[in-house]
Amino acid sequence: MSSAIAAQPGADIGLVDEVATLTKSAQQIVAGDRHTVPVTLLIKTNPTLASRYSQMRYRAASEVASKYQNSYAVLHELRVVSQAFQRDLCLFLTGLASAGAERAMIERIAYFKASLDALVSGDRATGLEAAPNIHIKITLGKVAAKWNTLQPILSAAASGGPIDPRDVQLASVLGDAILNNLDQISDRFLDL
């Protein structure tokens, strides 16, 4: 699924495979297949995936110019959060979300929005530089456009109300597209 990760020198091919597994299992659940296999894959694969993405975040500092290390690290964190949104929506849809999942979703929504804004405009307090070139800025704009559609779906799920499977399907498509855009931005940072 994530060809941009696979194309990076020394890419973790296992990580790419895990992303593909998560996406396929999430898509199966969204399509109505709530049997043991896709649900188990979603629950078991996602924490491993999040952990490995976080490891990539902390290794990121050595891969880009020091000026952009904080921005690059946040970009990797947004990759984790984008996948957590898909997982959590599927868990809400299947009734398997843990206690406190709504609060965690609200916190992730706020983090994603603030981080996306900071990547575009910069944030001196956290050491984030504004988007360093037009390609990164445009692709961040694409993420923001998808986010404007995704965020209300996530907020509705976090409110504890009933979840429309069609909204989860749309969120799955948007989540995959956001992850793809974030991978493109990652490549652009590596090229700086």
Side-chain angles (χ1 to χ4, degrees), residues 3 55 59 63 65 113 122 137 150 157 163 165 170 191:
S3 59
Q55 290 170 11
R59 287 196 314 258
E63 297 176 1
K113 172 69 173 137
K137 191 168 188 171
L150 178 60
I163 298 173
L170 176 58
D191 291 339

PDB file of all heavy atoms in Angstrom, residues 3 55 59 63 65 113 122 137 150 157 163 165 170 191:
ATOM      1  N   SER A   3       3.813   2.644  -1.123  1.00  0.00           N
ATOM      2  CA  SER A   3       4.975   2.511  -2.004  1.00  0.00           C
ATOM      3  C   SER A   3       6.052   3.524  -1.671  1.00  0.00           C
ATOM      4  O   SER A   3       7.225   3.283  -1.892  1.00  0.00           O
ATOM      5  CB  SER A   3       4.544   2.648  -3.460  1.00  0.00           C
ATOM      6  OG  SER A   3       3.934   3.899  -3.665  1.00  0.00           O
ATOM      7  N   GLN A  55       8.739   4.213  16.120  1.00  0.00           N
ATOM      8  CA  GLN A  55      10.190   4.004  16.047  1.00  0.00           C
ATOM      9  C   GLN A  55      10.762   4.769  14.856  1.00  0.00           C
ATOM     10  O   GLN A  55      11.827   5.383  14.956  1.00  0.00           O
ATOM     11  CB  GLN A  55      10.515   2.519  15.922  1.00  0.00           C
ATOM     12  CG  GLN A  55      10.249   1.723  17.174  1.00  0.00           C
ATOM     13  CD  GLN A  55      10.345   0.229  16.927  1.00  0.00           C
ATOM     14  OE1 GLN A  55      10.798  -0.209  15.871  1.00  0.00           O
ATOM     15  NE2 GLN A  55       9.896  -0.556  17.886  1.00  0.00           N
ATOM     16  N   ARG A  59      13.707   7.718  14.728  1.00  0.00           N
ATOM     17  CA  ARG A  59      14.886   7.560  13.876  1.00  0.00           C
ATOM     18  C   ARG A  59      14.948   8.666  12.828  1.00  0.00           C
ATOM     19  O   ARG A  59      15.986   8.895  12.222  1.00  0.00           O
ATOM     20  CB  ARG A  59      14.864   6.198  13.170  1.00  0.00           C
ATOM     21  CG  ARG A  59      15.157   5.033  14.070  1.00  0.00           C
ATOM     22  CD  ARG A  59      15.500   3.801  13.250  1.00  0.00           C
ATOM     23  NE  ARG A  59      14.611   3.563  12.139  1.00  0.00           N
ATOM     24  CZ  ARG A  59      13.621   2.657  12.125  1.00  0.00           C
ATOM     25  NH1 ARG A  59      13.381   1.926  13.181  1.00  0.00           N
ATOM     26  NH2 ARG A  59      12.886   2.483  11.060  1.00  0.00           N
ATOM     27  N   GLU A  63      17.688  11.483   9.409  1.00  0.00           N
ATOM     28  CA  GLU A  63      17.456  11.326   7.977  1.00  0.00           C
ATOM     29  C   GLU A  63      17.285  12.639   7.223  1.00  0.00           C
ATOM     30  O   GLU A  63      17.359  12.654   6.000  1.00  0.00           O
ATOM     31  CB  GLU A  63      16.232  10.439   7.747  1.00  0.00           C
ATOM     32  CG  GLU A  63      16.428   9.020   8.281  1.00  0.00           C
ATOM     33  CD  GLU A  63      15.188   8.176   8.143  1.00  0.00           C
ATOM     34  OE1 GLU A  63      14.163   8.660   7.628  1.00  0.00           O
ATOM     35  OE2 GLU A  63      15.236   7.013   8.548  1.00  0.00           O
ATOM     36  N   ALA A  65      17.798  17.215   7.231  1.00  0.00           N
ATOM     37  CA  ALA A  65      18.579  18.337   7.766  1.00  0.00           C
ATOM     38  C   ALA A  65      18.045  18.738   9.134  1.00  0.00           C
ATOM     39  O   ALA A  65      16.841  18.680   9.382  1.00  0.00           O
ATOM     40  CB  ALA A  65      18.495  19.516   6.798  1.00  0.00           C
ATOM     41  N   LYS A 113      -5.128  18.172  13.778  1.00  0.00           N
ATOM     42  CA  LYS A 113      -5.423  19.504  13.236  1.00  0.00           C
ATOM     43  C   LYS A 113      -4.313  20.496  13.566  1.00  0.00           C
ATOM     44  O   LYS A 113      -3.822  21.216  12.692  1.00  0.00           O
ATOM     45  CB  LYS A 113      -6.768  19.991  13.786  1.00  0.00           C
ATOM     46  CG  LYS A 113      -7.110  21.440  13.461  1.00  0.00           C
ATOM     47  CD  LYS A 113      -7.383  21.630  11.996  1.00  0.00           C
ATOM     48  CE  LYS A 113      -7.890  23.036  11.721  1.00  0.00           C
ATOM     49  NZ  LYS A 113      -7.286  23.615  10.539  1.00  0.00           N
ATOM     50  N   GLY A 122       4.317  26.671  10.250  1.00  0.00           N
ATOM     51  CA  GLY A 122       5.419  26.699  11.202  1.00  0.00           C
ATOM     52  C   GLY A 122       4.922  27.012  12.603  1.00  0.00           C
ATOM     53  O   GLY A 122       3.819  27.523  12.780  1.00  0.00           O
ATOM     54  N   LYS A 137       4.068  22.211   0.533  1.00  0.00           N
ATOM     55  CA  LYS A 137       2.918  23.028   0.904  1.00  0.00           C
ATOM     56  C   LYS A 137       1.660  22.601   0.153  1.00  0.00           C
ATOM     57  O   LYS A 137       0.574  22.507   0.738  1.00  0.00           O
ATOM     58  CB  LYS A 137       3.213  24.506   0.651  1.00  0.00           C
ATOM     59  CG  LYS A 137       2.189  25.430   1.261  1.00  0.00           C
ATOM     60  CD  LYS A 137       2.652  26.863   1.242  1.00  0.00           C
ATOM     61  CE  LYS A 137       1.692  27.721   2.038  1.00  0.00           C
ATOM     62  NZ  LYS A 137       2.182  29.070   2.225  1.00  0.00           N
ATOM     63  N   LEU A 150     -12.926  14.443   6.538  1.00  0.00           N
ATOM     64  CA  LEU A 150     -12.759  13.361   7.516  1.00  0.00           C
ATOM     65  C   LEU A 150     -13.087  13.799   8.938  1.00  0.00           C
ATOM     66  O   LEU A 150     -13.721  13.060   9.695  1.00  0.00           O
ATOM     67  CB  LEU A 150     -11.323  12.830   7.453  1.00  0.00           C
ATOM     68  CG  LEU A 150     -10.947  11.722   8.437  1.00  0.00           C
ATOM     69  CD1 LEU A 150     -11.826  10.494   8.237  1.00  0.00           C
ATOM     70  CD2 LEU A 150      -9.468  11.364   8.277  1.00  0.00           C
ATOM     71  N   ALA A 157     -18.229  10.250  15.495  1.00  0.00           N
ATOM     72  CA  ALA A 157     -17.946   8.963  16.153  1.00  0.00           C
ATOM     73  C   ALA A 157     -17.509   9.182  17.596  1.00  0.00           C
ATOM     74  O   ALA A 157     -17.916   8.446  18.497  1.00  0.00           O
ATOM     75  CB  ALA A 157     -16.869   8.209  15.384  1.00  0.00           C
ATOM     76  N   ILE A 163     -22.997   5.105  14.317  1.00  0.00           N
ATOM     77  CA  ILE A 163     -22.049   5.308  13.220  1.00  0.00           C
ATOM     78  C   ILE A 163     -22.627   4.703  11.950  1.00  0.00           C
ATOM     79  O   ILE A 163     -23.020   3.532  11.923  1.00  0.00           O
ATOM     80  CB  ILE A 163     -20.695   4.663  13.560  1.00  0.00           C
ATOM     81  CG1 ILE A 163     -20.116   5.328  14.803  1.00  0.00           C
ATOM     82  CG2 ILE A 163     -19.732   4.768  12.388  1.00  0.00           C
ATOM     83  CD1 ILE A 163     -18.874   4.674  15.326  1.00  0.00           C
ATOM     84  N   PRO A 165     -22.161   3.052   8.528  1.00  0.00           N
ATOM     85  CA  PRO A 165     -21.081   2.332   7.843  1.00  0.00           C
ATOM     86  C   PRO A 165     -20.576   3.052   6.599  1.00  0.00           C
ATOM     87  O   PRO A 165     -19.400   2.952   6.254  1.00  0.00           O
ATOM     88  CB  PRO A 165     -21.711   0.988   7.483  1.00  0.00           C
ATOM     89  CG  PRO A 165     -22.806   0.808   8.478  1.00  0.00           C
ATOM     90  CD  PRO A 165     -23.324   2.198   8.767  1.00  0.00           C
ATOM     91  N   LEU A 170     -16.154   5.962   3.754  1.00  0.00           N
ATOM     92  CA  LEU A 170     -15.557   7.207   3.265  1.00  0.00           C
ATOM     93  C   LEU A 170     -14.302   7.532   4.061  1.00  0.00           C
ATOM     94  O   LEU A 170     -13.275   7.909   3.492  1.00  0.00           O
ATOM     95  CB  LEU A 170     -16.567   8.357   3.361  1.00  0.00           C
ATOM     96  CG  LEU A 170     -16.045   9.747   2.971  1.00  0.00           C
ATOM     97  CD1 LEU A 170     -15.498   9.758   1.543  1.00  0.00           C
ATOM     98  CD2 LEU A 170     -17.147  10.794   3.152  1.00  0.00           C
ATOM     99  N   ASP A 191      14.378  14.617   0.236  1.00  0.00           N
ATOM    100  CA  ASP A 191      15.055  15.199  -0.920  1.00  0.00           C
ATOM    101  C   ASP A 191      15.607  16.600  -0.661  1.00  0.00           C
ATOM    102  O   ASP A 191      16.322  17.159  -1.508  1.00  0.00           O
ATOM    103  CB  ASP A 191      14.120  15.271  -2.135  1.00  0.00           C
ATOM    104  CG  ASP A 191      13.789  13.891  -2.681  1.00  0.00           C
ATOM    105  OD1 ASP A 191      14.551  12.936  -2.408  1.00  0.00           O
ATOM    106  OD2 ASP A 191      12.750  13.762  -3.358  1.00  0.00           O
TER     107      ASP A 191
END
